[in-house]
């Protein structure tokens, strides 16, 4: 059905289409061309007609002229002459016209020539200018070359100077080293000299005494002899007096001897005592001023040389780092002070007349600094970092020398051994590592069993304070625990006194203890209402002479205890606005520096 | 394919041409002999709209004072300019030899038979009014009234400048209808005869029956002009011509209206006697 309809539809539609096509063939296509051609012909014919018409009129004019001429020959020639003259006039006119034109053209030519000359001149001028510029360029290029060569010369000179400077620097450090050694030698000599002087004094004393005794004996003998001699009794005045004196002398010799001995003894003791005083004075002053003093010497002479001052006033409060300041330490010479912060930097400060001036920044660490130490000569600085590494810089040129990597956790403390050639580091990864600085490798790894918060070293022994509340003692050679001591809180900090006989330990139970290393027993405990240990890495310190301890509290107060009396000596508040992280006491005893969780550091003294 | 065919039909209708020979009326006063002028007249346009060239041609041989309004006449019948050219030809000259020979007059304007046409704006007004009438039949005039002035202008300019695409871009809208109704409301158509008192027949005629059946051209003629239909036995008396062709009586009027309408949207159907020879 639909097929039929479709076909039907198709048929009427096809019919229409075909019809239309047929219609167009018959009515349109058959005529299109012919009509177009016809119209074109029509246009042409029109054009032709126009042209023909024009010609017709011309012809007509000529005809007219011919018609106008009369039949007579004379008249005709007259008209001819007339015509000729007309033509001539016309030609004359044309000629003058052309002359005029030629004149104009000649004028034009002249003008154009002028213009051309002008242009030529311009071109020449431009060429001259170009030449000039080229010369200028060449000149400038020459100058440029000269400048470049002079720059090279300067650079070379600079390099030479730099090399020289480096050489001098090396010489300087060598000389410094020599100075240090000489100073050490000097100190040793002084000590020997002192010992000898003391001996001499003793000898002198002994000799004096001997001399005195001899004189005494001689006097006694003389007295005895005098007693034996007979007395002339006939004398009046003098005789009365003399026996009294003699009786007195004979009756009691001891007071006389004492009276005689005391001044003599005083006399004999005076010179050596004065000598000793003067030596110690000299030594003390020298020691205070000396740049580097070896720990052996320091140990030997601390009692004499250090003049410890308990801090009373803040001299300088300053922003040390961007963010938390974790560590602080004085150089052995007390002149320099180093701080380490969470901003990954170690900063060197020079303490000049109660002021800290930034001397340099040691960069290279990829995370916050946790601990700082100078070697005993003060030429190297060791810092432990949260980036699992410890680093060593040279202090003088502030260059990073070694990076000791190998821990798998934050390094919380790193210390030089006393030979300055090895380092012990303690880490959050619960190991201690021993490093050799000559070969720059880890010689030993010790599994401590707990995260190590701080380390101190004596000649043979390394002591480490741990998260598990224990202080462990290690023999460097044996790599085993010699002994251990358990406290009541996580150990945050360790410090030794100058003689390395006492260990100062701070723990999270807010107690600070002094442990006698010979007996391995707690000798003294310090605590006070208000003192709070702020973190697992709060560092406390002995004074250089070991007679005071200083510790910073969570509330920003600095506490100083007297070790001898065991009592709190001083409470210094108000200058920190956050938890004190670490405290350091200058080896000279003059300054104390405390650093805090904020960005501040405070320099204290008694001035 | 079907759509393409339909488009071709629209194109063929639009581009239909009639070869015409214009001859100046013998009594017109000329200075020279007037050559005849030949032209292909577009079927869908109006004669006064496309004969500027004719006027110019005859101006060349005539004096200005002898020229009044130009009018056309074919074999004694003045040609109405307000009928499309195709309709004039189909109605008056379907079966004569081509080209169509038209006589051009500049005098004696037949006031009774023809309307004056002083300018093209009059043609435009007539064209637009016819379109509006057609749309009134198809869509109650809604589509043409919804168009803007410029849309109307586009329809007219399309026709005037013979731009098929321009015209159909707008005319397409006039050819739309709701699918569910199957076509326009009424088919706009006019049936013309040469021998009649009435100018044309125009009635309301729906494209589909009440039952939804499509009405064909045959149905339309049966209702409006039954004489045009030839019984099977009889000799064919009339030709039913649109655009110069005789569509089959089976052709649906809706389709015819959409495709074979003049630009004025009317189906102009000529019913002419079958030539005897």
């Amino acid at each position: 059905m639909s097929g039929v309809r479709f076909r039907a539809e198709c048929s009427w539609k096809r019919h229409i289409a075909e019809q239309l096509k047929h219609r167009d063939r018959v009515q349109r296509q058959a005529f299109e061309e012919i009509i177009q051609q016809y119209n074109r012909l029509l246009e042409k014919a029109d054009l032709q007609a126009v042209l023909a018409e024009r010609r017709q009129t011309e012809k007509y004019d000529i005809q007219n002229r011919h018609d106008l001429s009369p039949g007579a020959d004379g008249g005709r020639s007259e008209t001819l002459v007339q015509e000729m003259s007309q033509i001539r006039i016309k030609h004359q006119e044309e000629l003058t016209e052309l002359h005029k034109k030629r004149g104009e053209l000649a004028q034009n030519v002249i003008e154009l020539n002028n213009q051309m000359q002008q242009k030529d001149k311009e071109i020449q001028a431009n060429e001259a200018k170009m030449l000039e510029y080229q010369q200028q360029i060449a000149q400038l290029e020459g100058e440029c070359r000269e400048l470049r060569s002079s720059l090279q010369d300067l650079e070379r000179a600079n390099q030479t100077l730099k090399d020289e400077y480096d050489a001098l620097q090396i010489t300087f450090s060598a000389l410094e080293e020599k100075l240090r050694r000489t100073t050490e030698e000097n100190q040793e000599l002084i000590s020997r000299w002192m010992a000898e002087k003391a001996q001499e004094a003793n000898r002198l004393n002994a000799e004096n005494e001997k001399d005195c005794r001899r004189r005494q004996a001689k006097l006694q003998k003389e007295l005895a002899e005098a007693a034996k001699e007979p007395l002339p009794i006939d004398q009046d005045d003098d005789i009365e007096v003399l026996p009294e004196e003699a009786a007195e002398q004979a009756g009691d010799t001891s007071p006389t001897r004492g009276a005689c001995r005391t001044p003599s003894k005083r006399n004999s003791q005076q010179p050596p005592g004065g000598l000793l005083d003067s030596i110690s004075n000299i030594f003390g002053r020298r020691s205070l001023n000396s740049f580097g003093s070896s720990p052996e010497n320091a140990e030997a002479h601390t009692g004499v040389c250090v003049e410890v001052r308990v801090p009373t006033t803040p001299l300088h409060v300053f922003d040390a780092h961007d963010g938390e300041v974790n560590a602080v330490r004085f150089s052995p010479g007390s002149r320099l002070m180093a701080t380490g912060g969470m901003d990954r930097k170690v900063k060197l400060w020079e303490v000049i007349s109660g002021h800290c001036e930034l001397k340099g920044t040691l960069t290279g660490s990829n995370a916050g600094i946790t601990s700082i130490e100078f070697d005993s000569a003060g030429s190297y600085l060791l810092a432990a970092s949260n980036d699992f590494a410890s680093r060593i810089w040279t202090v003088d040129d502030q260059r990073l020398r070694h990076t000791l990597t190998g821990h798998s956790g934050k390094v919380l403390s790193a210390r030089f051994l006393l030979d300055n050639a090895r380092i012990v580091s303690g880490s959050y990864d619960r190991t201690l590592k021993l490093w050799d600085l000559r070969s720059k490798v880890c010689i030993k790894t010790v599994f401590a069993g707990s995260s190590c918060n701080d380390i101190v070293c004596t000649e043979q022994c390394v002591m480490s304070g741990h998260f598990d509340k224990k202080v462990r003692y290690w023999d460097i050679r044996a790599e085993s625990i010699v002994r251990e001591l358990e406290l009541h809180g996580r150990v945050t900090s360790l410090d030794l006194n100058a003689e390395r006989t006492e260990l100062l330990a701070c723990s999270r139970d807010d107690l600070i203890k002094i442990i006698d290393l010979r007996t391995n027993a707690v000798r003294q405990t310090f605590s006070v209402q208000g003192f709070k240990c702020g973190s697992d890495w709060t560092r406390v310190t002995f004074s250089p002479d070991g007679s005071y301890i200083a510790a910073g509290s969570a509330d920003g107060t600095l506490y100083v205890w007297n070790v001898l009396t065991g009592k709190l000596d001083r409470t210094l508040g108000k200058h920190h606005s956050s938890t004190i992280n670490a405290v350091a006491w200058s080896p000279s005893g003059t300054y104390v520096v405390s650093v805090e969780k904020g960005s501040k550091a405070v320099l204290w003294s008694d001035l | 394919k079907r759509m393409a065919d339909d488009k071709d039909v629209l194109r063929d209708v639009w581009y239909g041409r009639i070869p015409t020979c214009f001859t100046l009326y013998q009594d017109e006063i000329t200075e020279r002999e007037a050559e005849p002028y030949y032209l292909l007249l577009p079927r869908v346009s109006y004669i006064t709209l496309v004969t500027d060239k004719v006027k110019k041609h005859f101006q060349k041989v005539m004096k200005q004072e002898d020229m009044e309004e130009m009018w056309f006449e074919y074999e004694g019948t003045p040609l109405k300019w307000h009928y499309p050219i195709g309709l004039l030809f189909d109605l008056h000259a379907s079966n004569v030899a081509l080209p169509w020979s038209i006589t051009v007059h500049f005098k004696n304007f037949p006031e009774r038979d023809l309307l004056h046409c002083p300018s093209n704006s009059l043609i435009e007004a007539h064209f637009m009014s016819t379109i509006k009438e057609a749309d009134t039949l198809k869509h109650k005039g809604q589509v043409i009234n919804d168009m803007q002035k410029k849309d109307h202008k586009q329809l007219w300019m399309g026709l005037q400048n013979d731009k098929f695409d321009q015209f159909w871009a707008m005319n397409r809208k006039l050819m739309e209808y709701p699918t569910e109704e199957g076509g326009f409301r009424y088919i706009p158509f006019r049936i013309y005869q040469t021998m009649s008192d009435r100018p044309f027949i125009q009635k309301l005629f729906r494209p589909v029956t009440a039952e939804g059946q499509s009405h064909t051209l045959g149905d339309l003629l049966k209702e409006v002009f039954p004489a045009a239909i030839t019984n099977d036995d009889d000799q064919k008396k009339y030709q039913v011509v649109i655009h110069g062709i005789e569509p089959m009586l089976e052709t649906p009027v809706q389709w015819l209206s959409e495709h074979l309408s003049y630009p004025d949207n009317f189906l102009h159907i000529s019913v002419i006697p079958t030539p005897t020879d």
Side-chain angles (χ1 to χ4, degrees), chain A residues 455-499:
Chain A
I455 297 178
V456 287
C457 309
T458 62
E459 284 84 350
Q460 288 305 327
C461 190
V462 169
M463 281 146 269
S464 54
H466 292 270
F467 187 81
D468 63 355
K469 307 177 181 176
K470 283 178 181 167
V471 178
R472 292 183 170 83
Y473 301 74
W474 311 81
D475 188 323
I476 295 169
R477 289 160 302 186
E479 73 176 80
S480 62
I481 299 175
V482 180
R483 42 184 183 173
E484 55 181 44
L485 178 70
E486 183 156 5
L487 300 179
H488 299 294
R490 301 193 285 270
V491 182
T492 69
S493 165
L494 297 175
D495 195 23
L496 286 170
N497 68 343
E499 289 81 13

Coordinates of all heavy atoms in Angstrom, one line a residue, chain A residues 455-499:
Chain A
I455 N 74.7 14.3 74.1 CA 75.9 13.5 74.3 C 76.9 14.4 74.9 O 77.0 15.6 74.7 CB 76.4 13.0 72.9 CG1 75.5 12.1 72.2 CG2 77.8 12.3 73.1 CD1 75.9 11.7 70.9
V456 N 77.8 13.8 75.8 CA 79.0 14.5 76.2 C 80.1 13.4 76.2 O 79.9 12.2 76.2 CB 78.9 15.1 77.6 CG1 78.1 16.3 77.6 CG2 78.5 14.1 78.6
C457 N 81.4 13.9 76.1 CA 82.5 13.0 76.0 C 83.6 13.3 77.0 O 83.9 14.5 77.3 CB 83.2 13.1 74.6 SG 82.0 13.0 73.3
T458 N 84.2 12.3 77.6 CA 85.5 12.4 78.3 C 86.5 11.7 77.5 O 86.2 11.4 76.3 CB 85.4 11.8 79.7 OG1 85.1 10.4 79.6 CG2 84.2 12.4 80.5
E459 N 87.7 11.5 78.0 CA 88.8 10.9 77.2 C 88.4 9.6 76.6 O 88.6 9.4 75.4 CB 90.0 10.7 78.1 CG 90.8 12.0 78.3 CD 90.2 12.7 79.6 OE1 89.1 12.4 80.1 OE2 90.9 13.7 80.0
Q460 N 87.8 8.7 77.4 CA 87.5 7.4 76.9 C 86.0 7.1 76.8 O 85.6 6.2 76.2 CB 88.2 6.4 77.8 CG 89.7 6.3 77.7 CD 90.1 6.1 76.3 OE1 89.5 5.4 75.5 NE2 91.3 6.7 75.9
C461 N 85.3 7.9 77.5 CA 83.9 7.6 77.7 C 83.0 8.6 77.0 O 83.3 9.8 77.0 CB 83.6 7.6 79.2 SG 82.1 6.9 79.6
V462 N 81.9 8.0 76.4 CA 80.9 8.9 75.8 C 79.6 8.7 76.7 O 79.3 7.5 77.0 CB 80.6 8.5 74.4 CG1 79.4 9.2 73.9 CG2 81.8 8.9 73.5
M463 N 79.0 9.8 77.1 CA 77.8 9.6 77.8 C 76.6 10.2 77.0 O 76.7 11.2 76.4 CB 77.9 10.5 79.1 CG 78.7 9.8 80.2 SD 79.6 10.9 81.2 CE 81.1 11.0 80.3
S464 N 75.6 9.4 77.0 CA 74.4 9.8 76.2 C 73.2 9.8 77.0 O 72.9 8.9 77.8 CB 74.3 8.9 75.0 OG 74.2 7.5 75.4
G465 N 72.3 10.8 76.8 CA 71.1 10.9 77.6 C 70.0 10.5 76.6 O 69.9 11.0 75.5
H466 N 69.0 9.8 77.1 CA 68.0 9.1 76.2 C 66.6 9.4 76.6 O 66.3 9.8 77.7 CB 68.2 7.6 76.1 CG 69.5 7.3 75.5 ND1 69.6 7.1 74.1 CD2 70.8 7.1 76.0 CE1 70.9 6.8 73.9 NE2 71.6 6.8 75.0
F467 N 65.8 9.1 75.6 CA 64.3 9.3 75.7 C 63.7 8.3 76.8 O 62.8 8.6 77.4 CB 63.7 9.0 74.3 CG 62.3 9.2 74.2 CD1 61.8 10.5 74.0 CD2 61.3 8.2 74.3 CE1 60.4 10.8 73.9 CE2 60.0 8.5 74.2 CZ 59.5 9.7 74.0
D468 N 64.4 7.2 76.9 CA 63.9 6.2 77.9 C 64.4 6.4 79.3 O 64.5 5.6 80.1 CB 64.3 4.8 77.4 CG 65.8 4.6 77.4 OD1 66.5 5.5 77.7 OD2 66.2 3.4 77.1
K469 N 64.7 7.7 79.6 CA 65.1 8.2 81.0 C 66.5 7.7 81.4 O 66.8 7.9 82.6 CB 64.1 7.8 82.0 CG 62.6 8.2 81.6 CD 61.6 7.7 82.6 CE 60.2 8.1 82.2 NZ 59.2 7.5 83.1
K470 N 67.2 7.1 80.5 CA 68.5 6.6 80.9 C 69.7 7.4 80.5 O 69.6 8.0 79.4 CB 68.7 5.1 80.4 CG 67.9 4.1 81.3 CD 68.0 2.8 80.7 CE 67.2 1.8 81.5 NZ 67.0 0.5 80.8
V471 N 70.7 7.5 81.3 CA 72.0 8.0 80.9 C 72.9 6.8 80.7 O 73.0 5.9 81.6 CB 72.6 8.9 81.9 CG1 74.0 9.4 81.5 CG2 71.7 10.1 82.2
R472 N 73.5 6.7 79.5 CA 74.3 5.5 79.2 C 75.8 5.9 79.0 O 76.1 7.0 78.5 CB 73.9 4.8 77.9 CG 72.5 4.2 78.0 CD 72.1 3.4 76.7 NE 70.9 2.6 76.9 CZ 69.6 3.1 76.9 NH1 69.4 4.4 76.6 NH2 68.6 2.3 77.1
Y473 N 76.7 5.0 79.5 CA 78.1 5.3 79.5 C 78.7 4.3 78.5 O 78.5 3.1 78.6 CB 78.7 5.2 80.8 CG 78.1 6.1 81.9 CD1 76.9 5.8 82.4 CD2 78.8 7.2 82.4 CE1 76.3 6.6 83.4 CE2 78.3 8.0 83.3 CZ 77.0 7.7 83.8 OH 76.5 8.5 84.8
W474 N 79.5 4.8 77.5 CA 80.0 3.9 76.5 C 81.5 4.1 76.5 O 82.1 5.2 76.6 CB 79.5 4.3 75.1 CG 78.1 4.5 75.0 CD1 77.4 5.6 75.3 CD2 77.2 3.6 74.5 NE1 76.0 5.4 75.1 CE2 75.9 4.2 74.5 CE3 77.3 2.3 74.0 CZ2 74.7 3.5 74.1 CZ3 76.1 1.6 73.6 CH2 74.9 2.2 73.7
D475 N 82.2 2.9 76.3 CA 83.6 3.0 76.1 C 83.8 3.1 74.6 O 83.3 2.3 73.8 CB 84.3 1.7 76.6 CG 85.8 1.8 76.6 OD1 86.3 2.4 75.6 OD2 86.4 1.3 77.5
I476 N 84.5 4.1 74.1 CA 84.7 4.3 72.7 C 85.2 3.1 72.0 O 84.8 2.7 70.9 CB 85.6 5.5 72.4 CG1 84.9 6.8 72.9 CG2 85.8 5.7 70.9 CD1 85.7 8.0 72.9
R477 N 86.2 2.5 72.6 CA 86.9 1.3 72.0 C 86.0 0.1 72.0 O 86.0 -0.7 71.1 CB 88.2 1.1 72.6 CG 89.2 2.2 72.4 CD 90.3 2.1 73.4 NE 89.8 2.3 74.7 CZ 90.6 2.5 75.8 NH1 91.9 2.4 75.7 NH2 90.0 2.6 77.0
A478 N 85.3 -0.1 73.1 CA 84.6 -1.3 73.2 C 83.2 -1.3 72.6 O 82.6 -2.4 72.4 CB 84.5 -1.6 74.7
E479 N 82.7 -0.2 72.3 CA 81.3 0.0 71.7 C 80.3 -0.8 72.5 O 79.3 -1.3 72.0 CB 81.3 -0.4 70.2 CG 81.4 -1.8 69.9 CD 81.2 -2.0 68.4 OE1 82.2 -1.8 67.7 OE2 80.1 -2.4 68.0
S480 N 80.5 -0.8 73.8 CA 79.5 -1.5 74.6 C 79.1 -0.5 75.8 O 79.9 0.4 76.1 CB 80.0 -2.8 75.2 OG 81.1 -2.5 76.0
I481 N 78.0 -0.8 76.4 CA 77.6 0.1 77.5 C 78.5 -0.3 78.7 O 78.6 -1.5 79.0 CB 76.1 -0.1 77.8 CG1 75.3 0.3 76.6 CG2 75.7 0.6 79.1 CD1 73.8 0.0 76.8
V482 N 79.1 0.6 79.3 CA 79.9 0.3 80.5 C 79.0 0.3 81.7 O 79.0 -0.7 82.4 CB 81.0 1.4 80.7 CG1 81.8 1.2 81.9 CG2 81.9 1.6 79.4
R483 N 78.1 1.2 81.7 CA 77.1 1.2 82.8 C 76.0 2.2 82.4 O 76.1 3.0 81.4 CB 77.7 1.6 84.1 CG 78.6 2.7 84.1 CD 79.3 3.0 85.4 NE 80.1 4.2 85.1 CZ 80.7 4.9 86.0 NH1 80.7 4.5 87.3 NH2 81.5 5.9 85.7
E484 N 74.9 2.1 83.1 CA 73.9 3.1 82.8 C 73.2 3.5 84.1 O 73.3 2.9 85.1 CB 72.8 2.5 81.8 CG 72.2 1.2 82.2 CD 71.3 0.7 81.2 OE1 71.6 0.8 80.0 OE2 70.2 0.2 81.5
L485 N 72.5 4.6 84.0 CA 71.9 5.2 85.2 C 70.5 5.7 84.8 O 70.3 6.3 83.8 CB 72.7 6.4 85.7 CG 72.2 7.1 86.9 CD1 72.3 6.3 88.1 CD2 73.0 8.4 87.1
E486 N 69.5 5.2 85.5 CA 68.1 5.6 85.1 C 67.7 6.8 86.0 O 67.8 6.8 87.2 CB 67.2 4.4 85.3 CG 65.8 4.8 84.8 CD 65.0 3.6 84.3 OE1 65.5 2.5 84.5 OE2 63.8 3.8 83.9
L487 N 67.2 7.8 85.3 CA 66.6 9.0 86.0 C 65.1 8.9 86.0 O 64.6 7.8 85.5 CB 67.1 10.3 85.3 CG 68.6 10.5 85.3 CD1 68.9 11.8 84.6 CD2 69.2 10.5 86.7
H488 N 64.4 9.9 86.4 CA 62.9 9.8 86.5 C 62.2 10.5 85.4 O 61.0 10.5 85.3 CB 62.4 10.3 87.8 CG 63.0 9.5 89.0 ND1 62.7 8.2 89.2 CD2 63.9 9.9 89.9 CE1 63.4 7.8 90.2 NE2 64.2 8.8 90.7
G489 N 62.9 11.0 84.4 CA 62.3 11.6 83.3 C 63.2 11.5 82.1 O 64.4 11.1 82.2
R490 N 62.6 11.8 80.9 CA 63.4 11.7 79.7 C 64.6 12.7 79.8 O 64.4 13.9 80.2 CB 62.6 12.1 78.5 CG 61.4 11.2 78.3 CD 60.7 11.5 76.9 NE 60.0 12.7 76.9 CZ 58.7 12.8 77.2 NH1 58.0 11.8 77.6 NH2 58.1 14.0 77.1
V491 N 65.8 12.2 79.5 CA 67.0 13.1 79.6 C 67.0 14.1 78.5 O 67.0 13.7 77.3 CB 68.2 12.2 79.7 CG1 69.4 13.1 79.9 CG2 68.1 11.2 80.8
T492 N 67.1 15.4 78.8 CA 67.1 16.4 77.7 C 68.5 16.9 77.4 O 68.7 17.3 76.3 CB 66.1 17.5 78.0 OG1 66.7 18.3 79.1 CG2 64.8 17.1 78.5
S493 N 69.3 16.9 78.4 CA 70.6 17.6 78.2 C 71.6 17.1 79.2 O 71.3 16.6 80.3 CB 70.4 19.1 78.5 OG 71.6 19.8 78.7
L494 N 72.9 17.1 78.7 CA 74.0 16.6 79.5 C 75.1 17.7 79.4 O 75.2 18.3 78.4 CB 74.6 15.3 79.0 CG 73.7 14.1 79.1 CD1 74.4 12.9 78.5 CD2 73.3 13.8 80.5
D495 N 75.8 17.9 80.6 CA 77.0 18.8 80.5 C 78.0 18.3 81.5 O 77.7 17.7 82.5 CB 76.6 20.2 80.8 CG 77.7 21.2 80.4 OD1 78.5 20.8 79.5 OD2 77.7 22.3 80.9
L496 N 79.3 18.5 81.2 CA 80.3 18.1 82.2 C 81.0 19.4 82.8 O 81.0 20.4 82.2 CB 81.4 17.4 81.4 CG 81.1 16.0 80.9 CD1 82.2 15.5 80.0 CD2 81.0 15.0 82.1
N497 N 81.5 19.2 84.0 CA 82.2 20.3 84.6 C 83.6 20.3 84.0 O 84.0 19.4 83.2 CB 82.2 20.2 86.1 CG 83.0 19.0 86.6 OD1 83.3 18.1 85.8 ND2 83.4 19.1 87.9
A498 N 84.4 21.3 84.3 CA 85.7 21.4 83.6 C 86.6 20.2 83.9 O 87.4 19.8 83.1 CB 86.3 22.7 84.1
E499 N 86.5 19.7 85.1 CA 87.4 18.6 85.5 C 86.9 17.3 84.9 O 87.6 16.3 85.1 CB 87.5 18.5 87.0 CG 88.3 19.6 87.7 CD 87.4 20.9 87.9 OE1 86.2 20.8 87.7 OE2 88.0 22.0 88.1

